Amino acid sequence: MKHMLVFIGFGEAAYNISLGLKEAGLDDIAAYDAFANDPVHGALIRQRADETHVPLIGLEEACSEGAFIASMNSAKVALSVAEKIIPQLRSGQVFVDLNSAAPTVEEKIDRIPRGDGVLFCDAGVMGTVPGNRHKVPMYLAGDGAETFRAAFSPYGMKLTVLDAPAGGASAIKMLKSVVMKGL
């Protein structure tokens, strides 16, 4: 794989995680963003990519050259993005969903047909990324959780693997959000 980590979506969260990982010594990061050439949003995406030295690549390249494909879009498109990407992945690649999607969405993503050896990690981001950058605590579930933890913990990421199937990390994130908003 040419890139250890490829973000699908390079908004504020992916930008901040990239800043932190770059400072921690991870250089092989790339990103694909469908809005990179958008007249309204494209300038900021390209500016952030230039600042972090994260090359913006095409979707086909992202799917073929990333060891970890990290979807950071929005909950409303999490499933449709995964449906486009996961079938293109090959053995050894891990699809990581970092969106704030419902546990049922994460379960649906986990059931998308995929090649042998393609893993899935449901990642529940448990705090704000700006300020915490790559050190924002995350819970991980699914068959790719341990692989993701092993690869990125050495860079200072705070990753906790749950003994749970895909959807488990998102369920905890959702519960925390409901409790915190209630307080």
mmCIF file of all heavy atoms in Angstrom, residues 2-10 14-32 49 52-57 61 65-68 70 134 152 155 157:
data_model
loop_
_atom_site.group_PDB
_atom_site.id
_atom_site.type_symbol
_atom_site.label_atom_id
_atom_site.label_comp_id
_atom_site.label_asym_id
_atom_site.label_seq_id
_atom_site.Cartn_x
_atom_site.Cartn_y
_atom_site.Cartn_z
ATOM 1 N N LYS A 2 0.481 2.195 -0.775
ATOM 2 C CA LYS A 2 1.254 3.428 -0.893
ATOM 3 C C LYS A 2 1.027 4.361 0.308
ATOM 4 O O LYS A 2 1.935 5.050 0.744
ATOM 5 C CB LYS A 2 0.860 4.139 -2.191
ATOM 6 C CG LYS A 2 1.641 5.393 -2.471
ATOM 7 C CD LYS A 2 1.249 5.972 -3.817
ATOM 8 C CE LYS A 2 2.009 7.249 -4.088
ATOM 9 N NZ LYS A 2 1.613 7.844 -5.363
ATOM 10 N N HIS A 3 -0.193 4.387 0.824
ATOM 11 C CA HIS A 3 -0.536 5.272 1.940
ATOM 12 C C HIS A 3 -1.027 4.431 3.109
ATOM 13 O O HIS A 3 -1.890 3.579 2.948
ATOM 14 C CB HIS A 3 -1.644 6.251 1.543
ATOM 15 C CG HIS A 3 -1.326 7.050 0.325
ATOM 16 N ND1 HIS A 3 -0.384 8.059 0.312
ATOM 17 C CD2 HIS A 3 -1.818 6.988 -0.932
ATOM 18 C CE1 HIS A 3 -0.320 8.580 -0.902
ATOM 19 N NE2 HIS A 3 -1.174 7.945 -1.675
ATOM 20 N N MET A 4 -0.498 4.692 4.301
ATOM 21 C CA MET A 4 -0.977 3.973 5.473
ATOM 22 C C MET A 4 -2.426 4.362 5.773
ATOM 23 O O MET A 4 -3.236 3.510 6.124
ATOM 24 C CB MET A 4 -0.113 4.258 6.688
ATOM 25 C CG MET A 4 -0.549 3.483 7.910
ATOM 26 S SD MET A 4 0.716 3.562 9.173
ATOM 27 C CE MET A 4 -0.055 2.615 10.461
ATOM 28 N N LEU A 5 -2.745 5.650 5.620
ATOM 29 C CA LEU A 5 -4.073 6.146 5.962
ATOM 30 C C LEU A 5 -4.597 7.041 4.850
ATOM 31 O O LEU A 5 -3.896 7.951 4.401
ATOM 32 C CB LEU A 5 -4.005 6.949 7.270
ATOM 33 C CG LEU A 5 -5.288 7.608 7.770
ATOM 34 C CD1 LEU A 5 -6.344 6.558 8.086
ATOM 35 C CD2 LEU A 5 -4.989 8.449 9.009
ATOM 36 N N VAL A 6 -5.815 6.766 4.412
ATOM 37 C CA VAL A 6 -6.481 7.615 3.428
ATOM 38 C C VAL A 6 -7.834 8.019 4.005
ATOM 39 O O VAL A 6 -8.641 7.163 4.362
ATOM 40 C CB VAL A 6 -6.689 6.894 2.077
ATOM 41 C CG1 VAL A 6 -7.507 7.765 1.129
ATOM 42 C CG2 VAL A 6 -5.359 6.532 1.438
ATOM 43 N N PHE A 7 -8.042 9.320 4.117
ATOM 44 C CA PHE A 7 -9.335 9.827 4.564
ATOM 45 C C PHE A 7 -10.280 9.948 3.380
ATOM 46 O O PHE A 7 -9.885 10.422 2.316
ATOM 47 C CB PHE A 7 -9.193 11.211 5.212
ATOM 48 C CG PHE A 7 -8.600 11.172 6.584
ATOM 49 C CD1 PHE A 7 -7.291 11.573 6.798
ATOM 50 C CD2 PHE A 7 -9.360 10.751 7.671
ATOM 51 C CE1 PHE A 7 -6.740 11.539 8.073
ATOM 52 C CE2 PHE A 7 -8.812 10.711 8.942
ATOM 53 C CZ PHE A 7 -7.501 11.105 9.145
ATOM 54 N N ILE A 8 -11.510 9.563 3.589
ATOM 55 C CA ILE A 8 -12.580 9.828 2.630
ATOM 56 C C ILE A 8 -13.365 10.975 3.261
ATOM 57 O O ILE A 8 -14.098 10.780 4.228
ATOM 58 C CB ILE A 8 -13.473 8.591 2.403
ATOM 59 C CG1 ILE A 8 -12.639 7.381 1.960
ATOM 60 C CG2 ILE A 8 -14.574 8.929 1.398
ATOM 61 C CD1 ILE A 8 -11.884 7.547 0.653
ATOM 62 N N GLY A 9 -13.130 12.160 2.747
ATOM 63 C CA GLY A 9 -13.644 13.388 3.347
ATOM 64 C C GLY A 9 -12.500 14.065 4.087
ATOM 65 O O GLY A 9 -11.833 13.436 4.915
ATOM 66 N N PHE A 10 -12.235 15.317 3.749
ATOM 67 C CA PHE A 10 -11.132 16.027 4.411
ATOM 68 C C PHE A 10 -11.652 17.339 4.995
ATOM 69 O O PHE A 10 -11.210 18.416 4.648
ATOM 70 C CB PHE A 10 -9.968 16.261 3.436
ATOM 71 C CG PHE A 10 -8.665 16.510 4.152
ATOM 72 C CD1 PHE A 10 -8.079 15.506 4.899
ATOM 73 C CD2 PHE A 10 -8.042 17.744 4.081
ATOM 74 C CE1 PHE A 10 -6.877 15.732 5.571
ATOM 75 C CE2 PHE A 10 -6.849 17.978 4.746
ATOM 76 C CZ PHE A 10 -6.257 16.969 5.493
ATOM 77 N N ALA A 14 -10.883 15.395 9.920
ATOM 78 C CA ALA A 14 -9.780 14.714 9.230
ATOM 79 C C ALA A 14 -8.543 15.608 9.188
ATOM 80 O O ALA A 14 -7.414 15.132 9.365
ATOM 81 C CB ALA A 14 -10.206 14.302 7.829
ATOM 82 N N TYR A 15 -8.762 16.894 8.967
ATOM 83 C CA TYR A 15 -7.659 17.864 8.956
ATOM 84 C C TYR A 15 -6.936 17.867 10.305
ATOM 85 O O TYR A 15 -5.711 17.778 10.372
ATOM 86 C CB TYR A 15 -8.223 19.241 8.617
ATOM 87 C CG TYR A 15 -7.359 20.423 8.987
ATOM 88 C CD1 TYR A 15 -6.221 20.737 8.261
ATOM 89 C CD2 TYR A 15 -7.705 21.246 10.061
ATOM 90 C CE1 TYR A 15 -5.435 21.827 8.598
ATOM 91 C CE2 TYR A 15 -6.926 22.341 10.402
ATOM 92 C CZ TYR A 15 -5.794 22.623 9.670
ATOM 93 O OH TYR A 15 -5.021 23.710 10.010
ATOM 94 N N ASN A 16 -7.687 17.940 11.390
ATOM 95 C CA ASN A 16 -7.077 17.994 12.719
ATOM 96 C C ASN A 16 -6.395 16.689 13.101
ATOM 97 O O ASN A 16 -5.315 16.706 13.698
ATOM 98 C CB ASN A 16 -8.121 18.390 13.767
ATOM 99 C CG ASN A 16 -8.296 19.883 13.834
ATOM 100 O OD1 ASN A 16 -7.445 20.590 14.364
ATOM 101 N ND2 ASN A 16 -9.381 20.386 13.279
ATOM 102 N N ILE A 17 -7.004 15.562 12.758
ATOM 103 C CA ILE A 17 -6.344 14.283 13.026
ATOM 104 C C ILE A 17 -5.053 14.183 12.215
ATOM 105 O O ILE A 17 -4.025 13.731 12.718
ATOM 106 C CB ILE A 17 -7.300 13.101 12.740
ATOM 107 C CG1 ILE A 17 -8.414 13.081 13.793
ATOM 108 C CG2 ILE A 17 -6.546 11.776 12.705
ATOM 109 C CD1 ILE A 17 -9.515 12.080 13.521
ATOM 110 N N SER A 18 -5.086 14.644 10.973
ATOM 111 C CA SER A 18 -3.875 14.639 10.139
ATOM 112 C C SER A 18 -2.772 15.495 10.745
ATOM 113 O O SER A 18 -1.610 15.090 10.762
ATOM 114 C CB SER A 18 -4.193 15.132 8.728
ATOM 115 O OG SER A 18 -5.045 14.235 8.072
ATOM 116 N N LEU A 19 -3.130 16.688 11.233
ATOM 117 C CA LEU A 19 -2.129 17.549 11.877
ATOM 118 C C LEU A 19 -1.444 16.806 13.019
ATOM 119 O O LEU A 19 -0.212 16.813 13.135
ATOM 120 C CB LEU A 19 -2.781 18.825 12.415
ATOM 121 C CG LEU A 19 -3.099 19.935 11.432
ATOM 122 C CD1 LEU A 19 -3.908 21.041 12.123
ATOM 123 C CD2 LEU A 19 -1.825 20.518 10.831
ATOM 124 N N GLY A 20 -2.237 16.169 13.869
ATOM 125 C CA GLY A 20 -1.673 15.448 15.008
ATOM 126 C C GLY A 20 -0.819 14.265 14.596
ATOM 127 O O GLY A 20 0.273 14.070 15.124
ATOM 128 N N LEU A 21 -1.308 13.476 13.655
ATOM 129 C CA LEU A 21 -0.535 12.317 13.203
ATOM 130 C C LEU A 21 0.760 12.733 12.522
ATOM 131 O O LEU A 21 1.796 12.084 12.699
ATOM 132 C CB LEU A 21 -1.382 11.441 12.272
ATOM 133 C CG LEU A 21 -2.473 10.624 12.953
ATOM 134 C CD1 LEU A 21 -3.377 9.976 11.924
ATOM 135 C CD2 LEU A 21 -1.863 9.567 13.884
ATOM 136 N N LYS A 22 0.706 13.813 11.740
ATOM 137 C CA LYS A 22 1.934 14.310 11.095
ATOM 138 C C LYS A 22 2.953 14.724 12.158
ATOM 139 O O LYS A 22 4.135 14.405 12.052
ATOM 140 C CB LYS A 22 1.615 15.491 10.173
ATOM 141 C CG LYS A 22 0.867 15.109 8.912
ATOM 142 C CD LYS A 22 1.809 14.576 7.866
ATOM 143 C CE LYS A 22 1.093 14.395 6.542
ATOM 144 N NZ LYS A 22 1.996 14.322 5.424
ATOM 145 N N GLU A 23 2.488 15.446 13.195
ATOM 146 C CA GLU A 23 3.389 15.857 14.285
ATOM 147 C C GLU A 23 3.964 14.646 15.010
ATOM 148 O O GLU A 23 5.078 14.698 15.520
ATOM 149 C CB GLU A 23 2.652 16.760 15.270
ATOM 150 C CG GLU A 23 2.339 18.132 14.712
ATOM 151 C CD GLU A 23 1.409 18.948 15.599
ATOM 152 O OE1 GLU A 23 1.013 18.478 16.687
ATOM 153 O OE2 GLU A 23 1.066 20.078 15.189
ATOM 154 N N ALA A 24 3.203 13.549 15.062
ATOM 155 C CA ALA A 24 3.647 12.327 15.731
ATOM 156 C C ALA A 24 4.539 11.462 14.837
ATOM 157 O O ALA A 24 5.037 10.428 15.279
ATOM 158 C CB ALA A 24 2.441 11.518 16.200
ATOM 159 N N GLY A 25 4.731 11.881 13.582
ATOM 160 C CA GLY A 25 5.661 11.185 12.705
ATOM 161 C C GLY A 25 5.067 10.344 11.594
ATOM 162 O O GLY A 25 5.799 9.680 10.866
ATOM 163 N N LEU A 26 3.735 10.344 11.447
ATOM 164 C CA LEU A 26 3.121 9.577 10.356
ATOM 165 C C LEU A 26 3.028 10.465 9.118
ATOM 166 O O LEU A 26 2.305 11.453 9.108
ATOM 167 C CB LEU A 26 1.721 9.084 10.742
ATOM 168 C CG LEU A 26 0.987 8.285 9.663
ATOM 169 C CD1 LEU A 26 1.740 7.008 9.312
ATOM 170 C CD2 LEU A 26 -0.421 7.958 10.108
ATOM 171 N N ASP A 27 3.770 10.103 8.087
ATOM 172 C CA ASP A 27 3.822 10.933 6.886
ATOM 173 C C ASP A 27 2.970 10.418 5.726
ATOM 174 O O ASP A 27 2.613 11.184 4.849
ATOM 175 C CB ASP A 27 5.271 11.080 6.400
ATOM 176 C CG ASP A 27 6.072 11.983 7.314
ATOM 177 O OD1 ASP A 27 5.524 12.980 7.815
ATOM 178 O OD2 ASP A 27 7.253 11.671 7.534
ATOM 179 N N ASP A 28 2.657 9.132 5.717
ATOM 180 C CA ASP A 28 1.965 8.590 4.548
ATOM 181 C C ASP A 28 0.443 8.613 4.711
ATOM 182 O O ASP A 28 -0.216 7.611 4.867
ATOM 183 C CB ASP A 28 2.488 7.207 4.157
ATOM 184 C CG ASP A 28 2.538 6.219 5.304
ATOM 185 O OD1 ASP A 28 2.380 6.635 6.456
ATOM 186 O OD2 ASP A 28 2.718 5.021 5.030
ATOM 187 N N ILE A 29 -0.086 9.846 4.652
ATOM 188 C CA ILE A 29 -1.521 10.108 4.727
ATOM 189 C C ILE A 29 -1.937 10.771 3.415
ATOM 190 O O ILE A 29 -1.226 11.620 2.895
ATOM 191 C CB ILE A 29 -1.848 11.067 5.898
ATOM 192 C CG1 ILE A 29 -1.366 10.507 7.236
ATOM 193 C CG2 ILE A 29 -3.353 11.363 5.948
ATOM 194 C CD1 ILE A 29 -1.481 11.491 8.386
ATOM 195 N N ALA A 30 -3.092 10.388 2.910
ATOM 196 C CA ALA A 30 -3.674 11.025 1.728
ATOM 197 C C ALA A 30 -5.163 11.198 1.994
ATOM 198 O O ALA A 30 -5.685 10.714 3.000
ATOM 199 C CB ALA A 30 -3.437 10.179 0.478
ATOM 200 N N ALA A 31 -5.844 11.900 1.100
ATOM 201 C CA ALA A 31 -7.281 12.115 1.280
ATOM 202 C C ALA A 31 -7.977 12.241 -0.064
ATOM 203 O O ALA A 31 -7.394 12.707 -1.046
ATOM 204 C CB ALA A 31 -7.535 13.370 2.112
ATOM 205 N N TYR A 32 -9.233 11.799 -0.052
ATOM 206 C CA TYR A 32 -10.131 12.040 -1.169
ATOM 207 C C TYR A 32 -11.297 12.834 -0.610
ATOM 208 O O TYR A 32 -11.839 12.498 0.446
ATOM 209 C CB TYR A 32 -10.655 10.728 -1.768
ATOM 210 C CG TYR A 32 -11.853 10.953 -2.649
ATOM 211 C CD1 TYR A 32 -11.693 11.461 -3.936
ATOM 212 C CD2 TYR A 32 -13.140 10.732 -2.183
ATOM 213 C CE1 TYR A 32 -12.793 11.711 -4.741
ATOM 214 C CE2 TYR A 32 -14.246 10.978 -2.979
ATOM 215 C CZ TYR A 32 -14.069 11.476 -4.257
ATOM 216 O OH TYR A 32 -15.154 11.732 -5.045
ATOM 217 N N ALA A 49 -5.287 20.729 2.932
ATOM 218 C CA ALA A 49 -4.442 19.665 2.387
ATOM 219 C C ALA A 49 -3.018 20.176 2.163
ATOM 220 O O ALA A 49 -2.047 19.483 2.488
ATOM 221 C CB ALA A 49 -5.039 19.130 1.091
ATOM 222 N N THR A 52 -1.195 20.633 5.603
ATOM 223 C CA THR A 52 -0.808 19.377 6.249
ATOM 224 C C THR A 52 0.074 18.496 5.362
ATOM 225 O O THR A 52 0.523 17.445 5.818
ATOM 226 C CB THR A 52 -2.060 18.567 6.646
ATOM 227 O OG1 THR A 52 -2.868 18.362 5.488
ATOM 228 C CG2 THR A 52 -2.862 19.273 7.732
ATOM 229 N N HIS A 53 0.286 18.913 4.125
ATOM 230 C CA HIS A 53 1.044 18.108 3.161
ATOM 231 C C HIS A 53 0.376 16.741 2.954
ATOM 232 O O HIS A 53 1.043 15.712 2.826
ATOM 233 C CB HIS A 53 2.501 17.945 3.574
ATOM 234 C CG HIS A 53 3.202 19.254 3.772
ATOM 235 N ND1 HIS A 53 3.557 20.072 2.724
ATOM 236 C CD2 HIS A 53 3.559 19.911 4.905
ATOM 237 C CE1 HIS A 53 4.127 21.164 3.204
ATOM 238 N NE2 HIS A 53 4.130 21.090 4.526
ATOM 239 N N VAL A 54 -0.957 16.757 2.933
ATOM 240 C CA VAL A 54 -1.750 15.568 2.655
ATOM 241 C C VAL A 54 -2.223 15.679 1.210
ATOM 242 O O VAL A 54 -3.018 16.558 0.885
ATOM 243 C CB VAL A 54 -2.957 15.457 3.618
ATOM 244 C CG1 VAL A 54 -3.915 14.358 3.170
ATOM 245 C CG2 VAL A 54 -2.485 15.201 5.046
ATOM 246 N N PRO A 55 -1.714 14.822 0.323
ATOM 247 C CA PRO A 55 -2.150 14.920 -1.070
ATOM 248 C C PRO A 55 -3.613 14.549 -1.236
ATOM 249 O O PRO A 55 -4.097 13.611 -0.596
ATOM 250 C CB PRO A 55 -1.238 13.928 -1.795
ATOM 251 C CG PRO A 55 -0.741 12.993 -0.750
ATOM 252 C CD PRO A 55 -0.736 13.747 0.539
ATOM 253 N N LEU A 56 -4.300 15.309 -2.078
ATOM 254 C CA LEU A 56 -5.674 14.981 -2.444
ATOM 255 C C LEU A 56 -5.606 14.072 -3.661
ATOM 256 O O LEU A 56 -4.976 14.419 -4.669
ATOM 257 C CB LEU A 56 -6.467 16.256 -2.749
ATOM 258 C CG LEU A 56 -6.720 17.161 -1.542
ATOM 259 C CD1 LEU A 56 -7.337 18.481 -1.982
ATOM 260 C CD2 LEU A 56 -7.594 16.469 -0.510
ATOM 261 N N ILE A 57 -6.213 12.906 -3.551
ATOM 262 C CA ILE A 57 -6.128 11.893 -4.603
ATOM 263 C C ILE A 57 -7.537 11.525 -5.060
ATOM 264 O O ILE A 57 -8.520 11.889 -4.428
ATOM 265 C CB ILE A 57 -5.355 10.644 -4.109
ATOM 266 C CG1 ILE A 57 -6.045 10.010 -2.897
ATOM 267 C CG2 ILE A 57 -3.910 11.017 -3.779
ATOM 268 C CD1 ILE A 57 -5.402 8.725 -2.388
ATOM 269 N N GLU A 61 -7.815 5.749 -6.640
ATOM 270 C CA GLU A 61 -6.493 5.651 -6.004
ATOM 271 C C GLU A 61 -6.637 5.447 -4.500
ATOM 272 O O GLU A 61 -5.915 4.650 -3.900
ATOM 273 C CB GLU A 61 -5.676 6.920 -6.301
ATOM 274 C CG GLU A 61 -4.268 6.885 -5.744
ATOM 275 C CD GLU A 61 -3.479 8.159 -6.013
ATOM 276 O OE1 GLU A 61 -3.989 9.080 -6.679
ATOM 277 O OE2 GLU A 61 -2.341 8.241 -5.530
ATOM 278 N N GLU A 65 -4.879 2.236 -2.877
ATOM 279 C CA GLU A 65 -3.558 2.494 -2.292
ATOM 280 C C GLU A 65 -3.542 2.741 -0.793
ATOM 281 O O GLU A 65 -2.491 2.973 -0.219
ATOM 282 C CB GLU A 65 -2.909 3.673 -3.011
ATOM 283 C CG GLU A 65 -2.638 3.372 -4.466
ATOM 284 C CD GLU A 65 -1.878 4.472 -5.167
ATOM 285 O OE1 GLU A 65 -1.545 5.481 -4.532
ATOM 286 O OE2 GLU A 65 -1.624 4.309 -6.366
ATOM 287 N N GLY A 66 -4.682 2.697 -0.133
ATOM 288 C CA GLY A 66 -4.706 2.934 1.308
ATOM 289 C C GLY A 66 -4.763 1.642 2.096
ATOM 290 O O GLY A 66 -5.551 0.750 1.776
ATOM 291 N N ALA A 67 -3.941 1.530 3.122
ATOM 292 C CA ALA A 67 -4.026 0.377 4.014
ATOM 293 C C ALA A 67 -5.256 0.514 4.911
ATOM 294 O O ALA A 67 -5.989 -0.438 5.133
ATOM 295 C CB ALA A 67 -2.761 0.268 4.860
ATOM 296 N N PHE A 68 -5.479 1.740 5.409
ATOM 297 C CA PHE A 68 -6.644 2.053 6.224
ATOM 298 C C PHE A 68 -7.416 3.147 5.502
ATOM 299 O O PHE A 68 -6.874 4.222 5.238
ATOM 300 C CB PHE A 68 -6.230 2.532 7.624
ATOM 301 C CG PHE A 68 -5.570 1.459 8.432
ATOM 302 C CD1 PHE A 68 -4.198 1.248 8.329
ATOM 303 C CD2 PHE A 68 -6.301 0.636 9.267
ATOM 304 C CE1 PHE A 68 -3.575 0.244 9.057
ATOM 305 C CE2 PHE A 68 -5.689 -0.370 9.998
ATOM 306 C CZ PHE A 68 -4.326 -0.567 9.893
ATOM 307 N N ALA A 70 -10.329 5.616 5.940
ATOM 308 C CA ALA A 70 -11.085 6.200 7.051
ATOM 309 C C ALA A 70 -12.156 7.153 6.535
ATOM 310 O O ALA A 70 -11.854 8.232 6.035
ATOM 311 C CB ALA A 70 -10.137 6.927 7.998
ATOM 312 N N HIS A 134 -5.399 14.007 16.944
ATOM 313 C CA HIS A 134 -5.387 12.543 16.833
ATOM 314 C C HIS A 134 -5.493 11.846 18.185
ATOM 315 O O HIS A 134 -5.691 10.645 18.246
ATOM 316 C CB HIS A 134 -4.138 12.079 16.084
ATOM 317 C CG HIS A 134 -2.865 12.231 16.850
ATOM 318 N ND1 HIS A 134 -2.410 13.452 17.298
ATOM 319 C CD2 HIS A 134 -1.966 11.309 17.265
ATOM 320 C CE1 HIS A 134 -1.270 13.282 17.941
ATOM 321 N NE2 HIS A 134 -0.985 11.985 17.936
ATOM 322 N N PHE A 152 -2.088 2.386 14.911
ATOM 323 C CA PHE A 152 -2.107 3.815 15.210
ATOM 324 C C PHE A 152 -1.831 4.182 16.670
ATOM 325 O O PHE A 152 -1.507 5.333 16.955
ATOM 326 C CB PHE A 152 -3.423 4.437 14.725
ATOM 327 C CG PHE A 152 -3.489 4.461 13.233
ATOM 328 C CD1 PHE A 152 -4.109 3.437 12.526
ATOM 329 C CD2 PHE A 152 -2.887 5.487 12.504
ATOM 330 C CE1 PHE A 152 -4.131 3.438 11.141
ATOM 331 C CE2 PHE A 152 -2.907 5.490 11.120
ATOM 332 C CZ PHE A 152 -3.530 4.462 10.441
ATOM 333 N N TYR A 155 1.382 6.068 17.455
ATOM 334 C CA TYR A 155 1.424 7.495 17.131
ATOM 335 C C TYR A 155 0.693 8.336 18.182
ATOM 336 O O TYR A 155 0.451 9.518 17.977
ATOM 337 C CB TYR A 155 0.821 7.738 15.743
ATOM 338 C CG TYR A 155 1.647 7.093 14.651
ATOM 339 C CD1 TYR A 155 1.258 5.870 14.118
ATOM 340 C CD2 TYR A 155 2.819 7.684 14.201
ATOM 341 C CE1 TYR A 155 2.024 5.256 13.141
ATOM 342 C CE2 TYR A 155 3.592 7.071 13.224
ATOM 343 C CZ TYR A 155 3.190 5.862 12.700
ATOM 344 O OH TYR A 155 3.954 5.249 11.732
ATOM 345 N N MET A 157 -2.410 7.783 19.419
ATOM 346 C CA MET A 157 -3.877 7.770 19.393
ATOM 347 C C MET A 157 -4.386 6.997 20.613
ATOM 348 O O MET A 157 -3.786 6.010 21.027
ATOM 349 C CB MET A 157 -4.401 7.149 18.099
ATOM 350 C CG MET A 157 -4.146 8.026 16.885
ATOM 351 S SD MET A 157 -4.919 7.412 15.363
ATOM 352 C CE MET A 157 -6.609 7.991 15.617
#
